């Protein structure tokens, strides 16, 4: 049986609540990007690029066929929000 292949790139944008500039600190922002990358890897999504500015974050990842988009977005947002709250 032939193998089914896919390469799906997913671009996710997270905004801070009310577009507040919570991510002014560049060091904190870089730590957050690393943490989000590790979270994506645990969800079988390979991060390609992670970046952002003071009020939003962009994630570009290779999306696996075995996951649902809503689950990846929800878990990444949940985990990163909890991490940020413990850092501030």
């Amino acid at each position: 049986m032939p193998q089914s292949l896919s390469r799906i790139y997913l671009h996710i944008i997270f905004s801070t609540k009310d577009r507040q500039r919570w991510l002014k600190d560049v060091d904190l922002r870089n730590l957050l990007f690393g943490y989000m990358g590790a979270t994506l890897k645990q969800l079988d999504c390979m991060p390609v690029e992670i970046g952002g500015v003071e009020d939003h974050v962009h994630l570009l990842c290779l999306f696996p066929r075995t996951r649902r988009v809503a689950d990846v977005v929800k878990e990444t947002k949940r985990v990163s929000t909890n991490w940020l709250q413990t850092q501030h």
Side-chain angles (χ1 to χ4, degrees):
M1 178 185 290
Q3 184 178 6
S4 176
L5 301 174
S6 69
R7 177 164 266 176
I8 301 169
Y9 288 90
L10 186 63
H11 181 201
I12 305 167
I13 304 169
F14 291 126
S15 171
T16 58
K17 185 175 182 179
D18 298 325
R19 296 292 269 205
Q20 293 290 317
R21 297 173 183 247
W22 297 113
L23 304 174
K24 288 181 190 177
D25 183 355
V26 175
D27 293 330
L28 175 67
R29 200 179 324 158
N30 289 330
L31 288 172
L32 173 65
F33 297 161
Y35 191 79
M36 292 177 105
T39 301
L40 286 170
K41 286 180 184 176
Q42 289 179 346
L43 296 170
D44 302 324
C45 291
M46 190 56 151
V48 175
E49 190 72 35
I50 300 175
V53 292
E54 298 171 343
D55 64 352
H56 68 276
V57 175
H58 290 263
L59 306 170
L60 180 65
C61 61
L62 279 170
F63 192 73
R65 295 182 315 151
T66 58
R67 298 280 184 177
R68 291 179 22 193
V69 173
D71 294 338
V72 169
V73 172
K74 178 181 176 183
E75 186 63 12
T76 304
K77 178 69 173 175
R78 184 188 70 79
V79 169
S80 62
T81 298
N82 287 342
W83 182 83
L84 267 176
Q85 289 174 346
T86 62
Q87 297 302 311
H88 267 274

